[in-house]
Amino acid sequence: MDIITILKANIRHQKSSFIGIFILMFIVSLSMTAVLTVSINSQKSDEEALKYVGFGDMLVMMDNMGQEEGKELIQKVQEHNQVEKVQVIPAICANFKEINGKSNGNSVMLEQYQPEKLKFRIFNENGTGYIENPKALKAGELYVPICYSTSYHCKVGDTITVKLMKHTENYTVKGFFEDPFMGSSMMGIKTVLVSDDDMKSMQKSIQEGSADSISEGMVLNIFQKKSSNLSYLKFQQELNKDTGVSGYAWISMGTSQAMGYMLILVRIFSGSLLVFIALLLIITLIIMNHSIGSSIEMEYANLGILKAVGVTQGKLKIILMLQYLLGALAGAVLGIPVAIPVIRIVNQITTPVVGILTPNHLALGACVMALAGVLVFLMLFIWLKLRKLKEITPVRAICGGKEDIYFSSRVELPIRKKGISFWLAFRQLTSNGKKYISVGVITGLLVFFMIMMGHMDNWMGEDGSEFSRIFDATEYDLWVHCYNEEIQGEVENTIQSYSKIEKKYQIQNVYLMMDGCQMMCFVCEAPEEIGSVLQGRTCRYDNEILITEFVAKDLNLQIGDTVTIAANDKSEEYIISGIYQCANDMGSNFAMSKAGYLRIGSQSLGEAYCLKNGEKAKEIAEKLNEVYGTKLMVTAERGFNEMSSIVSAVKALSVLVYMIAIIFALVVISLVCGKIFAKERQDYGIYKAMGFTARNLRLQFALRFMIVSLLGSGLGVILTLLLMNQCFAWLLSYVGISHIETEIVWMSVLVPIGMMTVVFFLFSYWKAGEIKKVQPRVLISE
């Protein structure tokens, strides 16, 4: 009973500490619950959607070979000892010409909408659920992935123009569907569903030779035997070795790879926020450490009295443990249900980007376990910090626990008359610096993450152009692929009428086989232009290739090793000359020279142009599309078209980090100011007796915290210089980048420093308003 009585009194007496710990843990709990729920539910939703639609373990998109040859290949795959069954789905590879009147060169796989084969789910009008009995498509109608609603601002009823040969066909968007395999905005090629009539019409046009901008193909939906214990990589190698199926494919992918692509954005942002949550937990520990130490120091006499009347050290530990733990527990418990609307908002934002519908219900088990682990860790931390209680004795409590001998700080400076408010603030800071170390460290951690998020936002650029560079191994402004070589000269004349061509070389991304595994290959006529070589050297000769670190790790390869590269029925051996990095296919790619590619392949390459006036590239692209239409493919955009969604998400994440950082800063100032003011109350009475006004004393108090904020911000800048590129590389490892060097934009440094300095100054000045209530007569009572 005595424990409960003392506990209640403590919470009432130190309610600011209780409320502060409650708010900090509430933010941590809310953030952690939201991040874990979105991450776990996204993973489960994609797995469930893949099973519901009917995807197997491997999808192979390939040319529609001759009837006998195609049947023979499919039979080989079906009869393989690791294959359960194979589902053959007709498909057409095409390119969009325009979406809502805007030029677009997106490659798509057109498949017939057949729910009996692949049960794609159609979204309702709001995108928050599915239509139970969707209508069959009529001629001229399409179902497109949900990501088109944000990437191209598509709506039901919009028009999409598809390239055929000398003419184009317009189609109407009937609705949006969920594609758990290729529906993410991070994936370049998309599946689009068409009607039976349109599929037959296109197939007829191809057979009659009146549509050479589209090609007929098929999708092999391959199921691995349940008894097979091979990994996807080994399964693919075994299947390709025995059947050669991927050698004929445009692209092949396993469900595990597809999930990696689909959830890239979720993983990047979840990783970012989990790092931030870890920093918030560290800050919470620092605040608890400061609060416990200050409370014991200020309540030294009362704690000694309690010991003198028979309250044991064990009971005191339990009381103080409960005092802090109850605040943390209340915040953690309340944060869980409050996270539900946050999760709903996040899912509304991420569904069109990720391409799958994620449920809003809590991942309660994982969240409770994570928060329970945090609370247990806090309990152990508090228990360790309460060891100071054994130093308290009734005798020492008589003098308030003060030391018998007092030494002044060596760093104290004399107080000057000119600018006395500043010098008094600085003197108070240096005479008791230990009390402010925690505030400085907290400021440094918050400023570090604010700088990092602001720098990420600046680095990506307004349109994501900088971020998109990691998807290209070389630098260029314009890329043109002429289907008819006779117009190449005319095209270049058109380009030169806008800007001088400083450099040109041929490049193309093609899929080839490396030691039985299909991978994207970057073919470059000028391999010396590849600037992202990390180790070794570029592929100078026709028997050399570059691989990424991720390929080297997955296939256990290193510089100097020999690999077999194949295209269709041709294969040659190549030596690995170096390690480079490129984010295409999440880093699962390699590069070779044009001369090396011609040993096994014959596909024509596009032309990359470096322009003197690079800003005119988009204008040139629009002109070429207008003049030549379906005779060429041209792009002035790097990376992929859906970059705007990523840029918007990063900006939103930056704003969220800034808001949480400011809330944490306010809580920290409130707790620390309260403790310091209570301790220095007698000093303010002395100052007022000497003639200082309340305004002067408040200014000194605020200046003290402003100085601490500036010093802590310096720590944040140092952490930024030391750790920022490593943090970026860790986050970008999800897209295949392991090394990154960025230059700090000082505006992204100055803004958070200025923001935190202003917040510390204004809020501490406001908290110091209690100084107005302090009168010189306080000295009598003291």
Side-chain angles (χ1 to χ4, degrees):
M1 192 66 185
D2 53 344
I3 291 177
I4 295 174
T5 303
I6 297 171
L7 177 62
K8 287 180 179 178
N10 268 9
I11 292 175
R12 279 197 305 269
H13 182 59
Q14 299 181 29
K15 59 184 176 184
S16 61
S17 294
F18 184 88
I19 293 171
I21 298 300
F22 166 81
I23 292 172
L24 295 180
M25 274 306 298
F26 170 75
I27 295 172
V28 168
S29 172
L30 190 154
S31 305
M32 185 179 289
T33 301
V35 171
L36 287 177
T37 296
V38 170
S39 182
I40 291 169
N41 285 355
S42 296
Q43 177 90 10
K44 287 183 177 178
S45 294
D46 201 26
E47 290 175 353
E48 184 272 331
L50 285 166
K51 289 179 182 177
Y52 181 87
V53 174
F55 283 116
D57 299 284
M58 182 177 176
L59 215 63
V60 179
M61 285 151 274
M62 57 189 296
D63 288 315
N64 197 3
M65 306 159 62
Q67 190 171 1
E68 292 301 321
E69 188 180 3
K71 283 183 178 178
E72 185 180 342
L73 180 63
I74 293 168
Q75 188 176 354
K76 278 185 181 179
V77 175
Q78 286 176 329
E79 292 176 352
H80 195 274
N81 58 9
Q82 297 292 331
V83 173
E84 182 74 30
K85 66 176 181 178
V86 178
Q87 193 177 31
V88 182
I89 302 162
I92 289 176
C93 185
N95 292 296
F96 285 162
K97 168 71 175 172
E98 291 177 349
I99 296 180
N100 283 336
K102 294 182 180 179
S103 61
N104 180 286
N106 233 23
S107 295
V108 292
M109 291 290 299
L110 301 177
E111 294 181 18
Q112 187 177 336
Y113 178 48
Q114 296 176 298
E116 66 277 7
K117 286 193 174 181
L118 291 176
K119 296 186 290 183
F120 289 111
R121 291 183 285 201
I122 311 301
F123 284 100
N124 60 24
E125 291 182 5
N126 301 321
T128 56
Y130 307 111
I131 298 173
E132 289 188 13
N133 296 304
K135 296 179 181 178
L137 290 171
K138 297 177 183 177
E141 293 181 337
L142 301 173
Y143 280 134
V144 297
I146 187 69
C147 67
Y148 275 39
S149 63
T150 53
S151 302
Y152 304 111
H153 307 289
C154 275
K155 302 184 296 295
V156 174
D158 285 353
T159 300
I160 293 179
T161 304
V162 179
K163 292 180 183 180
L164 295 177
M165 189 177 180
K166 294 180 180 179
H167 70 287
T168 58
E169 290 285 347
N170 291 331
Y171 294 86
T172 303
V173 176
K174 173 73 173 176
F176 301 98
F177 76 99
E178 182 183 64
D179 181 2
F181 207 93
M182 293 166 36
S184 167
S185 62
M186 291 292 288
M187 301 186 76
I189 190 169
K190 302 287 191 298
T191 298
V192 172
L193 303 178
V194 299
S195 68
D196 299 355
D197 292 339
D198 286 329
M199 177 62 78
K200 291 173 183 175
S201 176
M202 289 184 190
Q203 289 171 337
K204 184 179 178 182
S205 297
I206 294 169
Q207 291 162 7
E208 291 176 352
S210 59
D212 67 350
S213 292
I214 58 176
S215 56
E216 192 174 3
M218 55 184 171
V219 176
L220 302 186
N221 188 20
I222 302 171
F223 293 78
Q224 186 176 352
K225 280 187 177 178
K226 292 180 181 179
S227 58
S228 172
N229 57 4
L230 296 179
S231 66
Y232 169 71
L233 191 63
K234 290 292 184 184
F235 173 67
Q236 184 190 32
Q237 286 179 323
E238 287 291 321
L239 191 61
N240 288 329
K241 183 179 71 174
D242 296 336
T243 67
V245 62
S246 292
Y248 298 93
W250 297 326
I251 181 173
S252 65
M253 195 186 309
T255 50
S256 57
Q257 280 181 305
M259 286 181 64
Y261 290 123
M262 293 289 293
L263 302 176
I264 283 176
L265 280 181
V266 172
R267 288 171 178 172
I268 288 177
F269 293 128
S270 296
S272 303
L273 285 173
L274 285 174
V275 171
F276 187 53
I277 291 167
L279 287 180
L280 296 184
L281 279 173
I282 293 171
I283 290 169
T284 303
L285 292 176
I286 294 171
I287 285 294
M288 279 189 168
N289 178 56
H290 179 274
S291 184
I292 291 169
S294 298
S295 295
I296 291 174
E297 185 179 343
M298 292 170 62
E299 301 294 332
Y300 206 94
N302 291 333
L303 291 170
I305 291 169
L306 287 172
K307 277 195 170 183
V309 298
V311 179
T312 63
Q313 181 180 312
K315 282 187 177 181
L316 286 177
K317 268 192 174 184
I318 291 171
I319 291 165
L320 292 175
M321 169 83 75
L322 289 173
Q323 179 183 333
Y324 288 96
L325 205 57
L326 284 175
L329 180 62
V333 170
L334 184 62
I336 294 175
V338 175
I340 294 174
V342 176
I343 292 165
R344 188 178 295 113
I345 293 169
V346 172
N347 284 338
Q348 286 175 354
I349 296 170
T350 58
T351 293
V353 179
V354 178
I356 54 174
L357 186 63
T358 306
N360 298 321
H361 61 73
L362 291 169
L364 195 58
C367 294
V368 169
M369 287 181 64
L371 288 170
V374 169
L375 290 172
V376 168
F377 182 76
L378 289 179
M379 186 171 66
L380 292 174
F381 178 80
I382 295 168
W383 188 264
L384 289 173
K385 295 307 298 182
L386 290 176
R387 288 180 301 175
K388 290 183 180 180
L389 290 174
K390 65 182 178 184
E391 299 173 5
I392 299 174
T393 62
V395 175
R396 285 196 66 192
I398 296 172
C399 60
K402 294 177 181 177
E403 300 292 339
D404 296 331
I405 302 172
Y406 173 75
F407 294 98
S408 62
S409 171
R410 294 179 182 272
V411 295
E412 286 181 4
L413 295 176
I415 298 172
R416 305 176 192 274
K417 184 178 181 181
K418 189 175 181 179
I420 190 169
S421 293
F422 173 79
W423 291 111
L424 268 175
F426 196 76
R427 177 68 173 268
Q428 288 164 332
L429 185 62
T430 56
S431 63
N432 207 358
K434 288 183 180 179
K435 300 295 181 187
Y436 302 93
I437 290 175
S438 58
V439 181
V441 172
I442 289 168
T443 307
L445 292 174
L446 291 175
V447 166
F448 160 64
F449 209 82
M450 290 169 75
I451 291 173
M452 193 172 78
M453 291 309 302
H455 181 66
M456 180 183 285
D457 189 8
N458 287 327
W459 171 69
M460 292 190 75
E462 286 295 324
D463 56 356
S465 55
E466 291 301 316
F467 177 62
S468 64
R469 290 179 183 275
I470 66 175
F471 292 88
D472 289 304
T474 61
E475 294 288 333
Y476 59 90
D477 300 303
L478 187 72
W479 179 79
V480 182
H481 191 177
C482 296
Y483 300 125
N484 185 349
E485 293 182 2
E486 293 177 2
I487 64 169
Q488 187 72 46
E490 296 176 20
V491 167
E492 292 190 1
N493 289 335
T494 303
I495 295 172
Q496 286 178 326
S497 68
Y498 285 86
S499 172
K500 181 183 177 182
I501 298 173
E502 294 190 330
K503 196 188 314 181
K504 68 172 185 175
Y505 50 88
Q506 291 185 319
I507 60 171
Q508 191 78 26
N509 286 321
V510 297
Y511 280 93
L512 301 175
M513 303 296 298
M514 176 191 288
D515 283 350
C517 296
Q518 190 186 53
M519 286 184 198
M520 179 180 283
C521 173
F522 176 67
V523 180
C524 183
E525 184 183 20
E528 65 277 4
E529 293 293 326
I530 299 175
S532 55
V533 179
L534 305 176
Q535 299 175 39
R537 59 170 175 79
T538 192
C539 43
R540 295 176 187 168
Y541 306 108
D542 65 0
N543 66 335
E544 294 179 340
I545 64 167
L546 292 170
I547 62 171
T548 63
E549 283 189 334
F550 295 88
V551 172
K553 183 180 178 181
D554 288 343
L555 299 182
N556 195 25
L557 298 171
Q558 58 186 357
I559 295 173
D561 285 354
T562 300
V563 295
T564 301
I565 309 295
N568 294 329
D569 55 347
K570 289 184 180 179
S571 64
E572 294 287 349
E573 289 190 343
Y574 293 79
I575 298 170
I576 299 170
S577 65
I579 305 290
Y580 85 124
Q581 67 176 6
C582 177
N584 276 325
D585 279 11
M586 295 196 308
S588 183
N589 62 80
F590 64 102
M592 64 168 57
S593 65
K594 178 184 176 182
Y597 173 67
L598 291 177
R599 295 174 64 197
I600 55 172
S602 58
Q603 181 177 327
S604 61
L605 311 182
E607 202 81 39
Y609 296 94
C610 300
L611 307 177
K612 186 175 183 179
N613 301 317
E615 67 277 4
K616 292 191 175 182
K618 288 187 179 179
E619 188 179 349
I620 296 170
E622 290 175 3
K623 183 66 176 177
L624 291 175
N625 270 321
E626 179 186 335
V627 174
Y628 298 101
T630 59
K631 295 179 181 178
L632 53 72
M633 181 183 290
V634 57
T635 178
E637 295 181 353
R638 312 294 293 276
F640 43 91
N641 296 320
E642 292 82 354
M643 200 64 71
S644 59
S645 303
I646 301 169
V647 173
S648 299
V650 170
K651 288 185 182 297
L653 188 61
S654 299
V655 171
L656 178 64
V657 167
Y658 273 59
M659 288 173 59
I660 294 176
I662 290 172
I663 293 171
F664 255 66
L666 294 179
V667 174
V668 168
I669 296 167
S670 180
L671 288 175
V672 175
C673 284
K675 299 287 184 185
I676 291 176
F677 180 79
K679 187 179 179 184
E680 296 180 353
R681 187 178 180 85
Q682 185 177 3
D683 294 346
Y684 295 125
I686 296 171
Y687 284 134
K688 282 197 171 183
M690 293 171 62
F692 282 90
T693 64
R695 182 178 176 278
N696 282 334
L697 293 174
R698 290 176 71 185
L699 186 62
Q700 291 169 26
F701 193 82
L703 282 172
R704 202 187 317 176
F705 280 90
M706 189 181 78
I707 294 168
V708 173
S709 172
L710 288 170
L711 293 173
S713 297
L715 172 63
V717 173
I718 292 170
L719 290 173
T720 300
L721 294 171
L722 294 175
L723 301 176
M724 187 176 68
N725 284 332
Q726 287 87 335
C727 290
F728 270 19
W730 175 72
L731 290 174
L732 293 175
S733 64
Y734 289 109
V735 294
I737 296 296
S738 57
H739 298 272
I740 188 165
E741 294 293 332
T742 61
E743 294 182 4
I744 291 179
V745 179
W746 288 104
M747 185 55 68
S748 65
V749 175
L750 296 176
V751 168
I753 290 176
M755 188 180 293
M756 294 301 284
T757 302
V758 170
V759 167
F760 267 72
F761 180 82
L762 293 179
F763 197 69
S764 57
Y765 185 83
W766 177 74
K767 284 292 291 183
E770 295 183 26
I771 290 175
K772 291 187 288 187
K773 301 176 185 178
V774 178
Q775 300 298 328
R777 63 174 176 266
V778 73
L779 300 173
I780 299 171
S781 61
E782 291 289 343

